[in-house]
Coordinates of all heavy atoms in Angstrom, one line a residue:
M113 N 6.2 -1.1 -44.0 CA 5.8 -2.5 -44.4 C 5.5 -2.5 -45.9 O 5.7 -3.5 -46.6 CB 4.6 -2.9 -43.7 CG 4.9 -3.4 -42.2 SD 3.5 -4.2 -41.4 CE 2.4 -2.7 -41.1
N114 N 5.2 -1.3 -46.5 CA 5.0 -1.3 -48.0 C 6.3 -1.5 -48.7 O 6.3 -1.9 -49.9 CB 4.4 0.1 -48.4 CG 2.9 0.1 -48.4 OD1 2.3 -0.2 -49.4 ND2 2.4 0.4 -47.2
F115 N 7.4 -1.3 -48.0 CA 8.8 -1.5 -48.6 C 9.3 -2.9 -48.3 O 10.4 -3.2 -48.7 CB 9.7 -0.4 -48.1 CG 9.5 0.9 -48.7 CD1 8.7 1.9 -48.0 CD2 10.0 1.3 -49.9 CE1 8.5 3.1 -48.5 CE2 9.8 2.6 -50.4 CZ 9.0 3.5 -49.8
G116 N 8.6 -3.7 -47.5 CA 9.0 -5.0 -47.2 C 9.8 -5.1 -45.9 O 10.3 -6.1 -45.5
F117 N 9.8 -4.0 -45.1 CA 10.4 -4.0 -43.8 C 9.6 -5.0 -42.9 O 8.4 -5.0 -43.0 CB 10.5 -2.6 -43.2 CG 11.6 -1.8 -43.6 CD1 11.5 -0.9 -44.6 CD2 12.9 -1.9 -43.1 CE1 12.5 -0.1 -45.1 CE2 14.0 -1.2 -43.5 CZ 13.8 -0.2 -44.5
L118 N 10.3 -5.6 -42.0 CA 9.6 -6.5 -41.0 C 9.5 -5.6 -39.7 O 10.4 -5.3 -39.0 CB 10.5 -7.7 -40.6 CG 10.8 -8.6 -41.8 CD1 11.7 -9.8 -41.4 CD2 9.6 -9.1 -42.5
F119 N 8.2 -5.2 -39.4 CA 7.9 -4.3 -38.4 C 7.6 -5.1 -37.1 O 6.6 -5.9 -37.1 CB 6.7 -3.4 -38.8 CG 6.2 -2.4 -37.9 CD1 7.2 -1.5 -37.2 CD2 4.9 -2.2 -37.6 CE1 6.7 -0.6 -36.4 CE2 4.5 -1.3 -36.7 CZ 5.4 -0.4 -36.1
F120 N 8.3 -4.9 -36.0 CA 8.1 -5.7 -34.8 C 7.5 -4.8 -33.7 O 7.7 -3.6 -33.6 CB 9.4 -6.3 -34.3 CG 10.4 -5.4 -33.8 CD1 10.5 -4.9 -32.5 CD2 11.4 -4.9 -34.7 CE1 11.4 -4.0 -32.1 CE2 12.4 -4.0 -34.3 CZ 12.4 -3.6 -33.0
G121 N 6.7 -5.5 -32.8 CA 6.2 -4.8 -31.6 C 7.1 -5.2 -30.4 O 7.9 -6.1 -30.5
V122 N 6.9 -4.4 -29.3 CA 7.7 -4.6 -28.1 C 6.7 -4.9 -27.0 O 5.8 -4.1 -26.7 CB 8.6 -3.4 -27.8 CG1 9.4 -3.7 -26.5 CG2 9.5 -3.1 -29.0
T123 N 6.8 -6.0 -26.3 CA 5.9 -6.4 -25.3 C 6.3 -5.9 -23.9 O 5.6 -6.1 -22.9 CB 5.8 -7.9 -25.2 OG1 7.1 -8.5 -25.0 CG2 5.2 -8.5 -26.5
D124 N 7.5 -5.3 -23.8 CA 8.1 -4.9 -22.5 C 7.3 -3.7 -21.9 O 6.7 -2.9 -22.6 CB 9.5 -4.4 -22.7 CG 10.4 -5.5 -23.3 OD1 9.9 -6.3 -24.1 OD2 11.6 -5.5 -23.1
Y125 N 7.3 -3.7 -20.6 CA 6.8 -2.5 -19.8 C 8.0 -1.9 -19.1 O 8.8 -2.6 -18.4 CB 5.8 -3.0 -18.7 CG 4.4 -3.2 -19.3 CD1 4.1 -4.3 -20.0 CD2 3.4 -2.2 -19.1 CE1 2.8 -4.5 -20.4 CE2 2.1 -2.4 -19.5 CZ 1.8 -3.6 -20.2 OH 0.6 -3.8 -20.7
V126 N 8.2 -0.6 -19.3 CA 9.3 0.1 -18.7 C 8.9 0.7 -17.3 O 9.7 1.2 -16.6 CB 9.9 1.2 -19.6 CG1 10.6 0.6 -20.8 CG2 8.8 2.2 -20.0
S127 N 7.6 0.6 -17.1 CA 7.0 0.9 -15.7 C 5.7 0.1 -15.7 O 5.3 -0.5 -16.6 CB 6.7 2.4 -15.6 OG 5.5 2.8 -16.2
K128 N 5.0 0.2 -14.5 CA 3.8 -0.5 -14.4 C 2.7 -0.1 -15.4 O 1.9 -0.9 -15.8 CB 3.2 -0.4 -13.0 CG 4.0 -1.1 -11.9 CD 3.4 -0.9 -10.5 CE 4.2 -1.7 -9.5 NZ 3.6 -1.6 -8.2
I129 N 2.8 1.1 -15.9 CA 1.7 1.6 -16.8 C 2.3 2.1 -18.1 O 1.5 2.8 -18.8 CB 0.9 2.7 -16.1 CG1 1.7 3.8 -15.6 CG2 0.1 2.1 -14.9 CD1 0.9 5.0 -15.1
H130 N 3.5 1.9 -18.4 CA 4.1 2.5 -19.6 C 4.8 1.3 -20.5 O 5.7 0.7 -20.0 CB 5.2 3.5 -19.3 CG 5.5 4.4 -20.4 ND1 5.5 5.8 -20.3 CD2 5.8 4.1 -21.7 CE1 5.9 6.3 -21.5 NE2 6.0 5.3 -22.4
T131 N 4.2 1.1 -21.6 CA 4.8 0.1 -22.5 C 5.1 0.7 -23.9 O 4.9 1.9 -24.1 CB 3.8 -1.1 -22.7 OG1 4.5 -2.1 -23.4 CG2 2.5 -0.7 -23.3
L132 N 5.6 -0.1 -24.8 CA 5.8 0.4 -26.2 C 5.5 -0.7 -27.2 O 6.3 -1.1 -28.0 CB 7.3 0.9 -26.3 CG 8.4 0.0 -25.8 CD1 9.7 0.3 -26.5 CD2 8.7 0.3 -24.3

Side-chain angles (χ1 to χ4, degrees):
M113 285 189 286
N114 272 271
F115 288 93
F117 279 97
L118 303 179
F119 181 47
F120 66 87
V122 181
T123 56
D124 305 29
Y125 279 77
V126 291
S127 80
K128 288 183 178 179
I129 58 173
H130 197 132
T131 185
L132 46 155

